Amino acid sequence: MKEIIKINLDNEMDLIMAHKRCIKIAEMCGMPSSFQTRFSTAVSEVARCSIAKGSNSLLVLGVNIIKATQKEIVAIITDAVDLKNCSPEAFNYASKIAANIEYSFYNNQSTTRISQPVLSPGLMSETKIKGLIDYFKYEPPLSPYDEIRKKNIELIALSEKLVESENKYRQLANTIPILICVIGERNNVILANESLENYLQFPLLNFDRKTLSNFVHPEDIDRILEGWSRARSNRSDFLGEIRIKYDNSSYIWHLVSIIPNKSEDGSFNSWLIHFVDINAQKMVVETLKDNSELKIIQRELESANSKLLFKNKELEQFAYIASHDLQEPLRKIMIMLSRAGQHLSEDQKKEYYFDRITLAAGRLSHLITDVLNYSRVDIKKQQFEEVDLNEVMSEILGDLSMVIEEKSAVIHVNELPIVSGLHTQLRQLLYNLVNNALKFTSADPIVTISATNLPDEKNELALSGNYHLISVSDNGIGMDSQYSGRIFDMFQRLHERDQYGGNGIGLALCRRIIENHNGSIDFTSQPGKGTTFWIYLPKQQ
């Protein structure tokens, strides 16, 4: 059945609407007037029982195409009460005047199906059915009650999407392992994540000298207040190092960043502040500053420091996306909700705002999912096991079967090794690479996944003989060598969103998975000639 319209059966006004809309659908489908009356009367009889004696009653009207030239109008009434047992006389009357009526009561829900054949000739095309749906979607209200009811339904749906988006955003903010807060123009704390609240063990309400003195080292308070004042006055960033209280007698070093948040109209009315623990780096620097006997160790630690700073940079990107990119769709939803009620007709509201709200919420949902997947890639408390990559590829090709069929893709999978690792992460790695190969192409994709023992003279890992070399090759659009330095960075996109989908997280996730497995990933590519990704995974010892 093609659903045309739903009506909640709550009162007599709903009964009137149900009757009129039954008549209208029957009329638009070419049903004779006598049959229109019989069908709508039968539906009204059962609907009246639902309103009088039922609970959570819902009427769904639609068209059922039995075959090319045979169709019927269908009304389905669901209720939490056994309606036929409550009003047998109403059902008897409806059965006499309706062409077909079916009733069932199962699992505390009754279902009444009333149908009436449409004898007029002609096909019921998808275009005509869409026209019926659009007619009732955009028809003028039958009464002030109908208008208010429509608006309430729309606002409830929008409110549910907004709450869902806000919950996902808050979940992401609380997942990030850094201390985050958002400050307003008057030093008031608008938002603080759980990491900050748990660290301070008291609610952070204001960002002023009195509050800061409770957890910031006395010698560092002027530094952070001066940076905060400068950032607020100049609408600029601030970056500095301060000490935050660890317990009653000690402090640890943190890198503090203050970043202005830009609103939709271009103004600045809040600032993102986050604190990253850099105490280990500071202690290393102080310890090794003048110690000539530990110069070799210092160089090793400096290398580790660089990696740690890189990780901190990634965390900073997390904080930025949480405060800006992820909030952008939410701000759009709230602005559009506000504008939708200002002197606009229902048609204008639907045409200009509500569809955009749905798109913004959907984009945010995908972005949150991708970022959460990236943040959860971790090997702590997980044990490596033997993973057969042939089985992994079989699962992946099953998941992508619809895309492969749609794009007429050809997939070649040669014999792959058994490796030591985490099944879920290795599956995500190969899934991302194969999915990219199917996505970034302008012709029928040809993808080849294979393993080789031939050493790559340009790679030290392959020359050592201790690593499996796995390749994922495609005939896609390829990329220029100028992108080799940043293709695996977070949120890097080489194409506009309307050309190819995604959020620029997939390859960053691949690199992180490879790092967890003590391996390496690289690629070779030429524009228009495809790309090959090279994966190096340690052999089992």
Side-chain angles (χ1 to χ4, degrees), residues 4-5 18-41 43 61-63 71-74 115-120 124 128 132 135-136:
I4 305 299
I5 190 172
H19 183 82
K20 289 184 176 180
R21 282 165 178 161
C22 284
I23 291 284
K24 191 63 180 179
I25 289 178
E27 177 187 345
M28 295 175 73
C29 289
M31 183 182 291
S33 57
S34 59
F35 287 99
Q36 296 175 22
T37 303
R38 294 168 67 89
F39 174 70
S40 58
T41 302
V43 174
L61 297 173
V63 176
K71 52 189 177 292
E72 62 181 2
I73 300 175
V74 180
S115 60
Q116 182 72 43
V118 180
L119 303 178
S120 61
M124 180 65 72
K128 187 170 183 180
L132 288 173
Y135 173 84
F136 288 103

Side-chain angles (χ1 to χ4, degrees), residues 465-477:
N466 297 324
Y467 288 80
H468 295 288
L469 175 57
I470 301 165
S471 64
V472 179
S473 303
D474 63 62
N475 64 333
I477 60 175

Side-chain angles (χ1 to χ4, degrees), residues 435-451:
N435 190 43
N436 278 357
L438 295 172
K439 181 193 302 182
F440 297 104
T441 181
S442 57
D444 293 345
I446 300 176
V447 185
T448 302
I449 304 96
S450 61

Side-chain angles (χ1 to χ4, degrees), residues 127-333:
T127 302
K128 187 170 183 180
I129 291 175
K130 185 178 185 302
L132 288 173
I133 296 172
D134 289 342
Y135 173 84
F136 288 103
K137 184 177 181 181
Y138 300 113
E139 70 169 334
L142 300 177
S143 65
Y145 167 81
D146 188 28
E147 182 176 7
I148 293 173
R149 184 173 173 275
K150 280 186 175 182
K151 290 181 179 179
N152 284 340
I153 291 172
E154 291 168 352
L155 289 174
I156 289 171
L158 291 172
S159 176
E160 289 174 349
K161 290 180 180 178
L162 177 60
V163 170
E164 181 183 359
S165 297
E166 288 176 342
N167 289 338
K168 288 184 177 180
Y169 162 71
R170 186 172 293 276
Q171 180 185 5
L172 174 64
N174 290 332
T175 302
I176 299 171
I178 56 178
L179 315 179
I180 302 174
C181 61
V182 178
I183 311 298
E185 283 276 6
R186 299 183 178 182
N187 296 336
N188 58 305
V189 177
I190 300 173
L191 173 70
N193 71 342
E194 288 182 0
S195 297
L196 180 59
E197 292 177 348
N198 294 337
Y199 186 91
L200 297 181
Q201 295 185 347
F202 66 83
L204 185 63
L205 303 178
N206 294 288
F207 198 76
D208 52 22
R209 182 178 294 273
K210 181 179 179 180
T211 305
L212 292 175
S213 63
N214 292 326
F215 66 95
V216 176
H217 194 284
E219 297 178 4
D220 300 334
I221 292 177
D222 287 339
R223 182 185 305 119
I224 190 172
L225 285 176
E226 181 182 347
W228 163 232
S229 177
R230 187 165 61 250
R232 185 169 52 178
S233 300
N234 302 332
R235 301 297 192 264
S236 60
D237 296 353
F238 169 76
L239 189 67
E241 297 177 356
I242 64 169
R243 287 160 287 183
I244 294 180
K245 185 176 290 186
Y246 179 70
D247 52 35
N248 292 331
S249 59
S250 63
Y251 292 82
I252 60 177
W253 284 97
H254 281 72
L255 181 70
V256 57
S257 298
I258 302 177
I259 304 171
N261 278 337
K262 191 175 183 179
S263 61
E264 289 290 328
D265 59 4
S267 62
F268 295 90
N269 53 20
S270 64
W271 282 261
L272 169 73
I273 301 180
H274 65 267
F275 306 87
V276 179
D277 184 351
I278 58 169
N279 199 64
Q281 297 97 301
K282 293 287 289 187
M283 295 301 101
V284 168
V285 171
E286 293 298 325
T287 302
L288 301 179
K289 187 179 293 182
D290 298 316
N291 195 333
S292 59
E293 295 179 359
L294 297 177
K295 290 298 181 182
I296 297 177
I297 298 176
Q298 183 177 12
R299 284 193 294 270
E300 294 176 352
L301 290 175
E302 285 174 351
S303 175
N305 244 0
S306 297
K307 293 180 180 179
L308 185 56
L309 288 174
F310 175 76
K311 293 298 182 183
N312 283 338
K313 181 64 177 178
E314 288 186 336
L315 292 177
E316 185 177 329
Q317 290 175 316
F318 268 103
Y320 182 82
I321 201 70
S323 65
H324 185 274
D325 287 5
L326 294 181
Q327 289 192 70
E328 178 187 352
L330 292 178
R331 287 196 295 266
K332 286 183 177 178
I333 290 174

Side-chain angles (χ1 to χ4, degrees), residues 101-128:
I101 181 170
E102 301 172 3
Y103 179 82
S104 65
F105 182 73
Y106 176 73
N107 199 22
N108 293 324
Q109 177 172 292
S110 66
T111 303
T112 307
R113 187 183 188 276
I114 304 173
S115 60
Q116 182 72 43
V118 180
L119 303 178
S120 61
L123 300 176
M124 180 65 72
S125 65
E126 291 291 336
T127 302
K128 187 170 183 180

